[in-house]
């Protein structure tokens, strides 16, 4: 596909020709020709799908907020012999309160960006769609964005079976939470205790402080009824650069 060219959606790749309705969220949009846009939707039972949205570009968007990234709703679609078109949107949740907070908006946009770059097109992933919905609801409730980013990244990896263990050494299996003074390194294969580092290339290792290790573990694994009140008291550590680095480390396993 040439640079700047929008993806073509052939009939054999998805819906049969005709009208369809599906629920989900807008992950990404791209300007197309004239007043049209191309949208990447993440739909229940269908996964990530590119659709053409004629009339969505320019100053007069006939779909209103329905083509905005982060907008959730029911999408009316038409599969022609050549393309899948957006015919209408019934917006159910636009998350305007998230858009009013720079940190919250940055977190939500990052989730959509990571999904856009990693989701296979037209592969159903309803459990991941539910994770995104729950994460955005928690974000809208005021839970710290960085802690939610940790939770989202690890739980996504857990759904795909690639998330690293956060309470044991990836090499020997020894507990790394019971010894708060012990050395813990995050690596490309997971967390390693000090005994298992050996002669490995140090350039691949980043030390993890005991407080950050604890917060990463609790952010990822606490049930929601315990996570929300705990997160409210953990904002100081959540603001650290090390927490942001850990989020990118978790994404590296996807």
């Amino acid at each position: 596909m040439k640079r700047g060219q929008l993806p073509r959606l052939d009939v054999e790749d998805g819906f049969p020709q005709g009208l369809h309705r599906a629920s989900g969220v807008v992950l990404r949009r791209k300007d197309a020709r004239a007043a049209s846009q191309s949208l990447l939707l993440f739909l229940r039972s269908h996964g990530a799908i590119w659709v053409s949205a004629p009339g969505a570009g320019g100053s007069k968007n006939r779909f209103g907020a329905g083509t905005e990234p982060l907008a959730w709703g029911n999408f009316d679609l038409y599969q022609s012999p050549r393309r899948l078109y957006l015919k209408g949107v019934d917006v159910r949740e636009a998350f305007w309160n998230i858009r009013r907070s720079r940190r919250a908006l940055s977190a939500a946009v990052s989730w959509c960006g990571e999904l856009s770059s990693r989701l296979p097109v037209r592969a159903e992933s309803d459990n991941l769609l539910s994770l995104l919905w729950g994460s955005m609801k928690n974000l809208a409730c005021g839970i710290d964005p960085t802690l939610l980013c940790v939770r989202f990244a690890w739980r996504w990896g857990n759904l795909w079976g690639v998330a690293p263990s956060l309470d044991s050494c990836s090499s020997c299996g020894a507990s790394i939470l019971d010894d708060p003074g012990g050395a813990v390194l995050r690596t490309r294969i997971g967390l390693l205790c000090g005994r298992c580092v050996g002669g490995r290339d140090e350039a691949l290792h980043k030390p993890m402080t005991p407080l950050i290790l604890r917060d990463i573990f609790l952010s990822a694994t606490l049930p929601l009824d315990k996570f929300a009140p705990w997160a409210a008291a953990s904002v100081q550590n959540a603001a650290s650069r090390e927490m942001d680095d850990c989020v990118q480390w978790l994404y590296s396993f996807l």
Side-chain angles (χ1 to χ4, degrees), residues 68-135:
E68 290 286 333
L70 314 185
W72 293 73
N74 297 316
F75 297 88
D76 294 317
L77 307 170
Y78 177 72
Q79 179 69 70
S80 76
R82 297 187 60 190
R83 285 188 178 276
L84 183 62
Y85 291 96
L86 181 66
K87 303 292 289 184
V89 186
D90 179 13
V91 178
R92 294 301 186 180
E93 178 60 80
F95 286 107
W96 295 113
N97 51 342
I98 289 179
R99 300 170 195 271
R100 287 191 285 267
S101 165
R102 180 176 296 181
R103 288 189 66 223
L105 179 59
S106 178
V109 168
S110 73
W111 299 340
C112 290
E114 296 292 344
L115 288 166
S116 297
S117 64
R118 287 178 166 86
L119 279 179
V121 175
R122 300 198 180 223
E124 178 272 326
S125 189
D126 288 354
N127 51 6
L128 186 51
L129 182 64
S130 295
L131 174 63
L132 178 62
W133 169 257
S135 298

Side-chain angles (χ1 to χ4, degrees), residues 8-214:
R8 175 175 172 173
L9 303 174
D10 295 323
V11 174
E12 60 266 24
D13 292 332
F15 296 99
Q17 187 170 349
L19 293 169
H20 304 274
R21 171 169 267 220
S23 62
V25 60
V26 180
L27 291 182
R28 184 183 175 193
R29 69 181 179 189
K30 296 169 62 175
D31 290 333
R33 300 183 183 88
S36 296
Q37 290 182 337
S38 183
L39 307 177
L40 180 60
L41 306 181
F42 188 8
L43 300 176
R44 188 168 304 281
S45 301
H46 301 287
I49 294 180
W50 283 99
V51 304
S52 295
S59 59
K60 296 182 179 180
N61 183 347
R62 69 187 185 94
F63 301 106
T67 59
E68 290 286 333
L70 314 185
W72 293 73
N74 297 316
F75 297 88
D76 294 317
L77 307 170
Y78 177 72
Q79 179 69 70
S80 76
R82 297 187 60 190
R83 285 188 178 276
L84 183 62
Y85 291 96
L86 181 66
K87 303 292 289 184
V89 186
D90 179 13
V91 178
R92 294 301 186 180
E93 178 60 80
F95 286 107
W96 295 113
N97 51 342
I98 289 179
R99 300 170 195 271
R100 287 191 285 267
S101 165
R102 180 176 296 181
R103 288 189 66 223
L105 179 59
S106 178
V109 168
S110 73
W111 299 340
C112 290
E114 296 292 344
L115 288 166
S116 297
S117 64
R118 287 178 166 86
L119 279 179
V121 175
R122 300 198 180 223
E124 178 272 326
S125 189
D126 288 354
N127 51 6
L128 186 51
L129 182 64
S130 295
L131 174 63
L132 178 62
W133 169 257
S135 298
M136 291 182 67
K137 292 290 284 185
N138 290 335
L139 194 60
C141 289
I143 296 179
D144 184 81
T146 303
L147 297 179
L148 282 172
C149 284
V150 171
R151 189 175 179 87
F152 179 78
W154 188 85
R155 292 196 165 212
W156 177 0
N158 195 45
L159 288 174
W160 280 10
V162 296
S165 172
L166 299 177
D167 61 354
S168 61
C169 174
S170 294
S171 180
C172 70
S175 173
I176 55 177
L177 292 176
D178 296 339
D179 182 12
V184 176
L185 299 176
R186 65 178 191 267
T187 75
R188 291 178 180 175
I189 66 170
L191 295 176
L192 294 181
C193 66
R195 294 184 298 274
C196 292
V197 175
R200 298 174 186 266
D201 183 359
E202 292 297 328
L204 303 181
H205 304 149
K206 297 290 185 181
M208 183 176 288
T209 61
L211 283 177
I212 295 298
L213 173 59
R214 181 205 64 187

Side-chain angles (χ1 to χ4, degrees), residues 228-242:
W230 169 82
S234 303
V235 176
Q236 183 174 0
N237 285 340
S240 74
R241 175 63 182 272
E242 188 176 352

